[in-house]
Amino acid sequence: APDLSKGISVESFEPSQETHLARSFEIENKLAQAIEKNQFEMLYQPIVRLKDGQMSGFEALIRWPWKENEYISPMEFIPVAENSGLIKSLTRWIIRKTCTDFARIHDKLPESVYMSVNISSADLLDPRFTDDVLDVLRKNNLPAQNLKLEVTEHSVISDLKTAIEQMKILQQSGIRFAIDDFGTGHASLRYLQLLPAAYLKIDRSFIGGVTELERDAAITRATIALAHSLNKNVIAEGVEKWEQAEFLRAHQAEYAQGWFYAKPMPIEELANYRPPQFPEESD
Ligand code: C2E
Ligand code: MG
Ligand code: MG
Ligand code: MG
């Protein structure tokens, strides 16, 4: 019998997979053109420090209007870019675009506010990546301390040694790393210990139920404790409600991000963004 876990074999080829393949081809073709023609947009979502309610940084998120009046989700096209090798030139575009955007408003923000950019493991295995990033920072007069890179836990594994080497070089120049979507990939605790990442982002699938489901609350508390015992700070993703932010703050998570604070916005709006404040504590 065909082993379905290994993907598409001749025996297991079904119409649904054919449709899926056709869609992937369409995305791949359009991607190559879109990279050439600069057809992407970047939005930015605030990340808030729970201790004082201030914006500590913001995450860059890509948007692609791939057809007239139709955006396609990065959750769909980023994996296609990764599998086709187009991700390297896409990430190169993203780094340039986000850094020029950031440079435009850098003076209007507190000095410590950082930008967090999502990258793929393939980028860390690209020998030109490190120099490219440092070069773009220099050209835009941005301190490396103001850039953070987010790597998803399941994407780093293919060549762990090389990826870690590149991360360390970038880290020595001041760039910090965050492990994204923690809890959803295949990372072992060993892996978590090895990666030179100062931040851990708890996936939003756990945050959604944090005030209602004991199992989500338990995993979130345990992840915060684990991160702290490995000297990492925690960023909670997908905070949509005041009570979730309150739970996270009470359990010593450092940062939060989500629709409760703000949806992703154009760069110009970030300079005027003020997070909603918790009521003053009184005792
Ligand atoms: P991610 O890095 O985990 O980004 C967080 C996702 O959660 C974003 O989805 C964001 O819009 C969404 N989000 C934020 N707050 C909330 C909330 O309160 N509730 C809900 N339901 N969702 C919220 P988005 O922009 O669709 O991106 C999806 C994924 O695509 C990202 O997950 C990331 O893995 C990837 N991605 C996005 N932009 C880029 C990029 O520039 N480069 C790369 N390599 N990947 C990207
Ligand atoms: Mg991210
Ligand atoms: Mg994430
Ligand atoms: Mg996520």
Side-chain angles (χ1 to χ4, degrees), residues 59 75 118 150 152 180-182 184 201-205 237-238:
E59 180 176 7
M75 299 217 285
N118 293 283
E150 299 192 6
T152 51
D180 207 350
D181 303 331
F182 184 76
T184 62
K201 298 189 83 168
I202 305 180
D203 192 68
R204 71 164 187 265
S205 58
E237 298 184 326

Side-chain angles (χ1 to χ4, degrees), residues 10-260:
V10 177
E11 294 93 328
S12 66
F13 202 95
E14 287 163 13
S16 65
Q17 290 171 320
E18 203 172 331
T19 310
H20 175 76
L21 263 188
R23 173 109 176 148
S24 295
F25 280 129
E26 188 190 5
I27 294 170
E28 192 178 325
N29 286 331
K30 285 210 160 66
L31 255 181
Q33 292 173 25
I35 293 171
E36 248 168 58
K37 296 182 185 160
N38 284 342
Q39 284 165 343
F40 303 95
E41 301 159 8
M42 298 304 300
L43 293 181
Y44 301 90
Q45 187 178 36
I47 298 171
V48 172
R49 197 182 305 107
L50 286 161
K51 196 173 59 186
D52 62 8
Q54 299 302 304
M55 177 167 77
S56 61
F58 54 90
E59 180 176 7
L61 295 159
I62 196 166
R63 296 292 176 262
W64 180 21
W66 80 319
K67 290 179 183 170
E68 207 155 300
N69 302 319
E70 191 186 328
Y71 282 78
I72 177 172
S73 165
M75 299 217 285
E76 188 174 6
F77 72 80
I78 292 290
V80 177
E82 288 175 336
N83 293 330
S84 63
L86 288 168
I87 191 70
K88 288 179 194 169
S89 38
L90 182 56
T91 301
R92 198 161 289 142
W93 181 87
I94 291 167
I95 298 280
R96 292 219 163 79
K97 170 68 175 161
T98 55
C99 286
T100 26
D101 278 359
F102 190 11
R104 294 214 319 266
I105 63 154
H106 191 230
D107 285 352
K108 295 177 192 149
L109 297 170
E111 219 176 282
S112 65
V113 170
Y114 63 83
M115 175 170 72
S116 204
V117 178
N118 293 283
I119 62 165
S120 296
S121 59
D123 297 314
L124 290 170
L125 305 178
D126 174 0
R128 282 168 54 193
F129 180 70
T130 302
D131 285 344
D132 245 45
V133 172
L134 297 175
D135 193 47
V136 172
L137 286 173
R138 219 173 298 119
K139 284 186 175 136
N140 286 287
N141 265 321
L142 290 171
Q145 283 72 16
N146 287 122
L147 181 65
K148 200 186 289 179
L149 297 174
E150 299 192 6
V151 183
T152 51
E153 49 167 334
H154 55 271
S155 72
V156 178
I157 290 169
S158 73
D159 184 353
L160 193 55
K161 194 165 157 283
T162 308
I164 289 177
E165 277 167 18
Q166 291 308 303
M167 287 171 84
K168 284 188 173 153
I169 295 171
L170 288 162
Q171 201 191 32
Q172 273 152 20
S173 57
I175 293 170
R176 287 159 299 169
F177 282 89
I179 298 172
D180 207 350
D181 303 331
F182 184 76
T184 62
H186 313 285
S188 68
L189 297 179
R190 164 78 58 212
Y191 173 74
L192 184 62
Q193 192 185 46
L194 286 174
L195 287 185
Y199 299 86
L200 194 155
K201 298 189 83 168
I202 305 180
D203 192 68
R204 71 164 187 265
S205 58
F206 301 109
I207 304 305
V210 93
T211 57
E212 283 141 32
L213 299 172
E214 179 46 31
R215 59 162 200 266
D216 285 353
I219 287 177
T220 299
R221 283 194 305 263
T223 306
I224 294 168
L226 175 65
H228 289 170
S229 68
L230 293 170
N231 272 320
K232 300 183 195 302
N233 287 328
V234 170
I235 303 163
E237 298 184 326
V239 175
E240 295 184 356
K241 296 176 184 159
W242 184 84
E243 304 88 75
Q244 294 163 348
E246 190 52 52
F247 176 97
L248 292 159
R249 187 171 70 146
H251 290 89
Q252 268 84 49
E254 281 81 13
Y255 307 98
Q257 171 184 1
W259 297 347
F260 168 66

